[in-house]
Every structure is written in structure tokens, then in C-alpha cells.
Amino acid sequence: MKIRPTFIVLLATVTLLGACSKDTSSQSPKVTTPTTSAKPKAAELAAADVATLSATIDAHPGCDPLDTTSCLLPFPSDYFTSADTKSSTGRRIALPSGQFANVGGTTLDPTEWNHNDGFSPGTPIVLMAAGVDVTASKLPPQGDIASSMEDSSGSVVVDLTTGKRLAHWAEVDSGAPSPDKQLLVLHPAATYPEGHRIAVGFRHLKTAGGESIATPLAFKVYRDNLTTTIDSIESRRKDMESMFDGLAKAGAPRADLEQAWTFTVASADTLAGPLLAMRDDAFKRLGTAAPAFTADEVITDSTQLNPGIGRLVKGTFDVPSYLSGTGEPGSSLVVDPDGKPKYAGYDYHAVYSCQIPQSVIDGPDKARMVVYGHGLLGSHGEVENSQVAKIATTNKMIYCATDWIGMSESDVGNALTILGDISKFSTLVDRGEQGILNTLFLARVMINEKGFGTNAAFRTAAGASVIQGGEAYFDGNSQGSLMGGVATAIAQDWTKAELGVASMDYAILLSR
């Protein structure tokens, strides 16, 4: 079975929200008295309501009756999963087809998403709540994340696997096309634990005028223990009862809830499995050697260099490719029958650029090697800027960069294509994973004794290598920090990294 992490899955694994609020994500909930929620005595749903609920379900096949304003709401939800004993979580995503039609009428092909065994650990929680007001509903604002752990919070997120409350913050969708289409969004203060089952509950939802937001009929059926003859409703009841128990123990009594559901977080197999398989296979192929490389251009003209820089070296290095075609923008991972990435039979020629301080060229001191991560849809050429040069010269470091292919300048065209057909989104992710592997190989060729240091471009006039081997370092900002966090998590050749201005993951950053 073909396995792919979604883009947000890949990037959210290493990011936290900004440091404006204290980290309360792992604290126990500030609940004065753990509350149990009595299950109401079973009663039959009125015939008229049964008819209404049945008609709603029939009119929205494959959609969650808890929120019929849009098929995939509320999101994420275990409603859009199916049982799978072969997956690490016991679940498999099962998004319905025919959703997210673009202006041309093309809808989402959910095949790639449906390979996953859970949702992103950094996913926003989304609910349609037209007219909802964050303050009136006592929802935790961005500036007071800690309030999400209080008894009074209008939203409660619970890790049902551990029983702990999870810190989060709320906002309304500022880009809503109209007030009646305004989404309520919860953002996690820290990524959800891999493979865990999460419950989210809302209470006290109100408009700015103090009017209560209507509770959906389908949710009332579960909360109030109203029995029906509708199979799709009754088949979910056991899971909902488990959810009510978990929320009640965390301080959100059943009777107070106006909307609630559960979702499963993807496992490490889905999140990191493909990239780790690529890394391990690629470095096994490499062994103790350095990646093959070229030094195609060596600039020494001071008028073309930043102050303190003695050389600018540009070239390529080879990385085992796991992409179809030539690895061009829009290509996909080549996979084996089990869905694992496999070597595509050729090497990808990744580009690089390095700034070398004049002080290390003069000797005798050697330079520490730093891998640099560029910004959003940028290129390796960013390593040539004056600020990087200042850091390099001040600290006797050689800064080198390659493109984060998948999210580089060369991928802008494919990104625009994806905006027209979201079904092609996986191509961005796939090339992005190859881009991370390329960055790991850059570090190896930088510090390996058979790597850059063997070339005259990286030697003093006397012929000595300017490179201090042993370990590389990483420095990335903005996208370079987000992608760099992932690379650092699996890096073979560096353990120290500077991740700058990375106070959010893409789910938050792109909307801003």
C-alpha cells in the first residue's frame, strides 16, 4: 500500500507556536474537580426528528451529519476513517470523493490522503460556527493559550490515550467569503502525539450579541442518548460514548457540550516512514564515501564577493534519486509494491553554493561547516547574501546551501498548478522529501574527508584543506527553519541547529 504524509504532516512534526505565551501543552488541566458525566436514560428520538436526520444523511452521502454545512466538516474527524488492522493506529483515512471543486469543477482525488493512518499532528481543528465570537464563547485567544486549560474554556481538547488536556488557541477564519460561511479554527499549541486518539469539545458557543449557536441534531442524538433506527448513526454511538467519558474526566461534562467528536493522529509509520526509508537506503548506498561532486565555478574577484569572503564556490553533488522522470518539479516518488520509496535508478544532481571567508583561506585556522536553509520558495543562492557572509567571517565558518526542491524557486510553477488542482499536492510533498535528503547529502560532502576538502576550491594556497571535519552545523530561517527542523530530526551529520523565525507551521503561516 502506497503511503504518503501530507504536507502539513511532514512539516508540523518539529514546530511549535510562537513564544508569546508560555508552553502549557504538557501541563495537567487546571480543573478544580474531575467531573464524571452521567449518561442520560435512553429515549427514542421523535419520529419527525428521525425523518429530518435521515433526510439530511441521504442528501449528503459520505458526509458527517455532525456538521452538514460542508461535507468534510467538522475536521479532522474519525468519521472520515475506516478500521484497518494492518495500520499502526488501527485506522485508515477514508475521505470521500467529489469534494473541494475548483472553479473548473475539478474535485479532490483523495487517494494520496487515504493512504495515511491518521491526521496531521499539527492540523487545525475546523468547525462551521457562523457568527461565533471568540470572547463571548470564552474561547482561548492567541494571546492567552493558557486559558484553554481552565475550567471556563469554551473549547476542550483531550488526548484520550493519556487523559490529558491539550493546550490550544482559537480564531475565526478571517478569509471567510461571507458571515454565514465563517469557520471556527482551533490551533494546537504543540503538535499532537503520534498515533493518539484526540477528542475535541465545544461549549458556550455564542455570537457577539450573546445568542447561542445552535447545536446540531445529530450531536443531540448522541449527547442526550436518543436512540434511532438509523444504522450509520447507531454504529458510531460506542465511539461517542467513549469520547463523552474522556471529556468528562478532563472537566467537560457531557451535558455542557454543544459539539464534540474525535480524530486519530497519524503514526510515525505515516509521518516519517517514507523519508526515513529514503535516508537509510541512500546512505547505505553511499557507505563511507563522499557524494560525487563538482566545483564548476570559483569566484575570487573581490568586487563580486561580500566583505571578508575570499571565495564563492558553486557546483553540484550527486544524491540517489527516488523521484520519477528526472526529478523535475511535478515528479512523484517511485514506490515498491509495499508503498515504500525505492531508488529510481539514477542520481539527482543537486546544486550548491558556498561562501568561504578569506581568513581561513589564509590559514592556519580551519572553518566549521554550516548547512544553510533558504526561505519560502527561494533558492540556494540566498546563502550568498551579506548577512550570511558576516556570520561566516565573524565565526570562521563556511556556509553552503542547496535548493529545498519541492519548495524552491524552481517549484513555483508546480505550486501554481496545484492551486488549480489540489489532487496534485502530493507531488510537492514527494519532491520536498527528496529535497531534505539532498540537504543531508550536502552535509556529508561538506565534512567527509573525501569530500569538498579534496578540491582546490576548498584549500589554501599551500594546499591544505580549509575544512574542519567531524561535524556540520545547520542554520535556517523561515522556511529554512521549518524544513530544517525536519532535516535536523533525521540528520546523520549534525546535531546542532539554529532554527530562526520558525514560530509557526505552514497551517498557520500560509494563512497569514
Side-chain angles (χ1 to χ4, degrees), residues 438-473:
N438 293 353
T439 303
L440 301 183
F441 263 58
L442 174 61
R444 179 60 57 91
V445 75
M446 288 168 67
I447 66 170
N448 189 280
E449 62 182 10
K450 302 173 184 177
F452 282 169
T454 63
N455 190 281
F458 295 90
R459 288 183 169 269
T460 66
S465 171
V466 299
I467 294 173
Q468 176 181 307
E471 183 180 25
Y473 300 84

Side-chain angles (χ1 to χ4, degrees), residues 23-49:
D23 180 8
T24 60
S25 59
S26 60
Q27 295 180 7
S28 299
K30 299 177 182 178
V31 179
T32 53
T33 305
T35 309
T36 57
S37 183
K39 180 179 179 180
K41 183 178 180 180
E44 289 186 13
L45 182 65
D49 287 336

Side-chain angles (χ1 to χ4, degrees), residues 14 42 80 86 106-107 112 121 137 169 172 239 248-249 302 378 472 477:
V14 293
F80 301 114
K86 295 182 180 180
T106 302
T107 58
E112 293 295 333
S137 302
W169 56 279
V172 294
D239 288 340
K249 291 175 182 177
S302 61
N477 299 285

Side-chain angles (χ1 to χ4, degrees), residues 371 402-404 434-443 474 487 494:
V371 178
T402 187
D403 288 347
W404 292 115
Q434 179 72 44
I436 292 172
L437 178 63
N438 293 353
T439 303
L440 301 183
F441 263 58
L442 174 61
F474 181 86
W494 75 79

Side-chain angles (χ1 to χ4, degrees), residues 134-146:
V134 170
T135 302
S137 302
K138 299 181 180 179
L139 296 168
Q142 183 176 359
D144 188 12
I145 293 175

Side-chain angles (χ1 to χ4, degrees), residues 225-312:
N225 199 20
L226 303 174
T227 61
T228 73
T229 56
I230 305 172
D231 291 341
S232 62
I233 292 292
E234 297 306 318
S235 64
R236 192 180 185 182
R237 194 176 290 274
K238 181 179 179 181
D239 288 340
M240 295 296 280
E241 289 297 333
S242 172
M243 175 198 72
F244 285 129
D245 288 343
L247 285 168
K249 291 175 182 177
R254 176 186 195 135
D256 290 351
L257 297 170
E258 297 167 353
Q259 181 65 286
W261 68 93
T262 67
F263 64 92
T264 300
V265 183
S267 71
D269 288 341
T270 281
L271 295 170
L275 184 55
L276 288 174
M278 292 166 61
R279 180 201 68 178
D280 294 346
D281 182 71
F283 278 93
K284 182 178 180 180
R285 292 177 183 278
L286 182 64
T288 59
F293 72 95
T294 65
D296 300 320
E297 186 177 6
V298 181
I299 300 173
T300 58
D301 183 352
S302 61
T303 64
Q304 300 180 53
L305 300 173
N306 290 305
I309 297 298
R311 288 182 200 146
L312 179 62

Side-chain angles (χ1 to χ4, degrees), residues 129 131-134 139 170-175 182-185:
V132 70
D133 183 81
V134 170
L139 296 168
E171 66 178 353
V172 294
D173 177 18
S174 61
Q182 192 165 56
L183 295 170
L184 174 58
V185 185

Side-chain angles (χ1 to χ4, degrees), residues 111-413:
T111 301
E112 293 295 333
W113 283 265
N114 288 351
H115 293 309
N116 299 333
D117 63 3
F119 296 93
S120 165
T123 183
I125 294 170
V126 185
L127 172 71
M128 188 69 76
V132 70
D133 183 81
V134 170
T135 302
S137 302
K138 299 181 180 179
L139 296 168
Q142 183 176 359
D144 188 12
I145 293 175
S147 66
S148 68
M149 307 294 278
E150 304 286 354
D151 276 337
S152 58
S153 177
S155 54
V156 179
V157 180
V158 179
D159 183 342
L160 295 177
T161 305
T162 64
K164 293 183 178 180
R165 288 266 290 271
L166 301 176
H168 59 277
W169 56 279
E171 66 178 353
V172 294
D173 177 18
S174 61
S178 60
D180 63 331
K181 297 289 185 181
Q182 192 165 56
L183 295 170
L184 174 58
V185 185
L186 298 188
H187 295 282
T191 51
Y192 303 115
E194 297 171 359
H196 287 209
R197 184 167 172 251
I198 309 297
V200 53
F202 291 92
R203 51 195 178 178
H204 324 310
L205 294 181
K206 298 182 182 300
T207 66
E211 300 173 350
S212 296
I213 304 294
T215 302
L217 175 59
F219 181 72
K220 290 180 181 179
V221 166
Y222 296 118
R223 182 193 63 191
D224 301 341
N225 199 20
L226 303 174
T227 61
T228 73
T229 56
I230 305 172
D231 291 341
S232 62
I233 292 292
E234 297 306 318
S235 64
R236 192 180 185 182
R237 194 176 290 274
K238 181 179 179 181
D239 288 340
M240 295 296 280
E241 289 297 333
S242 172
M243 175 198 72
F244 285 129
D245 288 343
L247 285 168
K249 291 175 182 177
R254 176 186 195 135
D256 290 351
L257 297 170
E258 297 167 353
Q259 181 65 286
W261 68 93
T262 67
F263 64 92
T264 300
V265 183
S267 71
D269 288 341
T270 281
L271 295 170
L275 184 55
L276 288 174
M278 292 166 61
R279 180 201 68 178
D280 294 346
D281 182 71
F283 278 93
K284 182 178 180 180
R285 292 177 183 278
L286 182 64
T288 59
F293 72 95
T294 65
D296 300 320
E297 186 177 6
V298 181
I299 300 173
T300 58
D301 183 352
S302 61
T303 64
Q304 300 180 53
L305 300 173
N306 290 305
I309 297 298
R311 288 182 200 146
L312 179 62
V313 184
K314 301 181 180 183
T316 65
F317 60 99
D318 292 350
V319 187
S321 179
Y322 298 82
L323 294 172
S324 60
T326 60
E328 70 279 3
S331 57
S332 299
L333 287 178
V334 178
V335 297
D336 65 19
D338 294 325
K340 294 182 179 180
K342 69 176 183 179
Y343 177 54
Y346 69 95
D347 283 351
Y348 186 92
H349 303 305
V351 295
Y352 75 86
S353 184
C354 298
Q355 288 202 88
I356 305 177
Q358 183 63 49
S359 60
V360 298
I361 295 174
D362 294 338
D365 293 337
K366 295 182 181 295
R368 289 175 289 174
M369 303 301 286
V370 182
V371 178
Y372 180 78
H374 68 70
L376 182 64
L377 296 174
S379 75
H380 66 287
E382 289 181 19
V383 79
E384 301 169 18
N385 70 45
S386 59
Q387 183 60 36
V388 170
K390 183 177 181 180
I391 298 172
T393 56
T394 300
N395 298 285
K396 293 190 176 181
M397 293 174 166
I398 295 175
Y399 266 68
C400 301
T402 187
D403 288 347
W404 292 115
I405 67 168
M407 286 294 288
S408 68
E409 187 176 44
S410 63
D411 295 283
V412 171

